[in-house]
Amino acid sequence: MDRTNCILLGAPVQDGTGRLGCDMGPSAFRAAGIGEALRSLGHGVVDRGNVAPAPLQSLSHPNPAIHALPEVVAWTQALSQAIYEAGAEGMPIVLGGDHSLAAGTLAGHARRAQESGRKLFVLWLDAHPDVHTLESTESGHLHGVPMAYALGLPGFAGVFPPLTATLDPARICMMGLRSVDPAERQVLAAMGLRVHDMRAIDEEGVAPLLRGFLDEVAAQDGLLHVSLDVDFLDPDIAPGVGTTVLGGATFREAHLIMEMLHDSGRVASLDLVELNPFLDERGRTARLMVDLAASLMGRRVLDRPTRSF
């Protein structure tokens, strides 16, 4: 896989959340200069435009709280195929869009990894684990279910597209969690998912926590998918998100993570999700997310320009 060939795919999904605005995320990332930032680092960039959802199906579920089930399933189907195809050509970078899009991206990456005989690892940078099932979700907002679906948890069959390959819970690392519902706690414990919440980060620092995971990826010659949710970051530095949770990662912690990921040489794909430009402050969050993506792709701390105000 050519990791210098970046394939940008817009995913204007807002059906998984209860607030409007995430559908503008892909445009905001482009306006914030993500293509130019990657090209300046020597990468090839192909912008494929926005993915279109598959045709809607007539779907329902006994859980009356669920919202927009046909729409999220349609996005899952389309994104899974788009990611699977793009993974054969380079490094897919998905510009979101709410985190329900990860149901499709994780499915597509898992299929590609299985066919290539590689092991897929996932670094989930998020305030939430998103391991609700269709039965357990109380809000009904389906940006809370993508990880459960990709892990193959019960209840999705016959509703969501069938999975060619499921994720291995032993190859998932969640960092930054600080808002976990009781039903999700049960899933995390039952599956033994590796979780480094904000307390662990405060006590131990991001570097040793991430280094152990990256060592495992390297030891198994794995492919690493990174899913970066805006709410992983503290809302003081990233206000453009509809699910703000105080106490998130700082600017320095986030950039250190990205630089370590670049140093590992293992990142094969990236999701940038939950950007809501309607809630942002003059593009501040979009620019920060682009800056983080650039760090993941090779920009160093010494490369940062001095800003005069």
Side-chain angles (χ1 to χ4, degrees), residues 20 38 104 106 126 133 137 142-143 146 166 176 179 183 188 204 210 218 220 227 233-234 242 260 274 284:
L20 301 179
L38 298 174
L106 291 171
D126 198 335
T133 66
T137 177
L142 296 182
H143 63 170
T166 59
S179 179
L188 295 177
E204 303 182 47
L210 181 58
Q220 298 186 48
S227 194
L233 306 165
D234 193 89
M260 290 180 66
E274 292 285 353
R284 177 182 173 194

Side-chain angles (χ1 to χ4, degrees), residues 65-154:
I66 291 178
H67 305 283
L69 181 60
E71 289 80 5
V72 172
V73 168
W75 278 113
T76 300
Q77 182 178 344
L79 286 166
S80 176
Q81 183 63 28
I83 288 299
Y84 170 75
E85 293 174 357
E89 303 173 35
M91 177 177 177
I93 299 178
V94 174
L95 313 177
D98 73 64
H99 220 159
S100 67
L101 67 83
T105 61
L106 291 171
H109 292 311
R111 178 185 172 193
R112 174 60 59 190
Q114 182 185 67
E115 291 188 5
S116 62
R118 304 287 296 279
K119 295 174 181 176
L120 179 65
F121 289 74
V122 177
L123 178 62
W124 190 262
L125 302 173
D126 198 335
H128 311 86
D130 296 342
V131 290
H132 270 296
T133 66
L134 297 178
E135 287 78 16
S136 72
T137 177
E138 295 182 1
S139 72
H141 301 310
L142 296 182
H143 63 170
V145 308
M147 181 58 74
Y149 166 68
L151 283 165
L153 267 61

Side-chain angles (χ1 to χ4, degrees), residues 213-236:
F213 179 63
L214 293 178
D215 287 346
E216 291 185 24
V217 180
Q220 298 186 48
D221 190 27
L223 299 173
L224 179 56
H225 172 64
V226 177
S227 194
L228 173 60
D229 190 311
V230 172
D231 69 21
F232 169 72
L233 306 165
D234 193 89
D236 283 348

Side-chain angles (χ1 to χ4, degrees), residues 111-298:
R111 178 185 172 193
R112 174 60 59 190
Q114 182 185 67
E115 291 188 5
S116 62
R118 304 287 296 279
K119 295 174 181 176
L120 179 65
F121 289 74
V122 177
L123 178 62
W124 190 262
L125 302 173
D126 198 335
H128 311 86
D130 296 342
V131 290
H132 270 296
T133 66
L134 297 178
E135 287 78 16
S136 72
T137 177
E138 295 182 1
S139 72
H141 301 310
L142 296 182
H143 63 170
V145 308
M147 181 58 74
Y149 166 68
L151 283 165
L153 267 61
F156 293 93
V159 182
F160 273 64
L163 290 165
T164 303
T166 59
L167 299 183
D168 183 340
R171 299 190 184 112
I172 296 171
C173 178
M174 295 185 169
M175 296 188 72
L177 299 191
R178 56 196 188 278
S179 179
V180 183
D181 293 334
E184 293 181 302
R185 290 179 183 273
Q186 294 178 13
V187 171
L188 295 177
M191 303 204 75
L193 290 170
R194 180 181 338 214
V195 172
H196 301 311
D197 61 15
M198 286 308 301
R199 174 170 177 168
I201 290 174
D202 289 342
E203 291 181 344
E204 303 182 47
V206 296
L209 296 175
L210 181 58
R211 188 174 295 117
F213 179 63
L214 293 178
D215 287 346
E216 291 185 24
V217 180
Q220 298 186 48
D221 190 27
L223 299 173
L224 179 56
H225 172 64
V226 177
S227 194
L228 173 60
D229 190 311
V230 172
D231 69 21
F232 169 72
L233 306 165
D234 193 89
D236 283 348
I237 62 170
V241 62
T243 52
T244 53
V245 185
L246 295 176
T250 67
F251 179 92
R252 291 170 62 182
E253 288 169 334
H255 275 289
L256 175 57
I257 289 170
M258 295 300 125
E259 292 193 14
M260 290 180 66
L261 289 171
H262 173 74
D263 293 345
S264 76
R266 292 287 166 178
V267 179
S269 51
L270 172 66
D271 292 343
L272 302 172
V273 304
E274 292 285 353
L275 174 63
N276 189 328
F278 186 76
L279 303 174
D280 205 1
E281 299 171 357
R282 300 176 65 87
R284 177 182 173 194
T285 306
R287 290 195 300 271
L288 174 56
M289 291 287 280
V290 168
D291 201 26
L292 290 171
S295 286
L296 187 149
M297 297 303 293

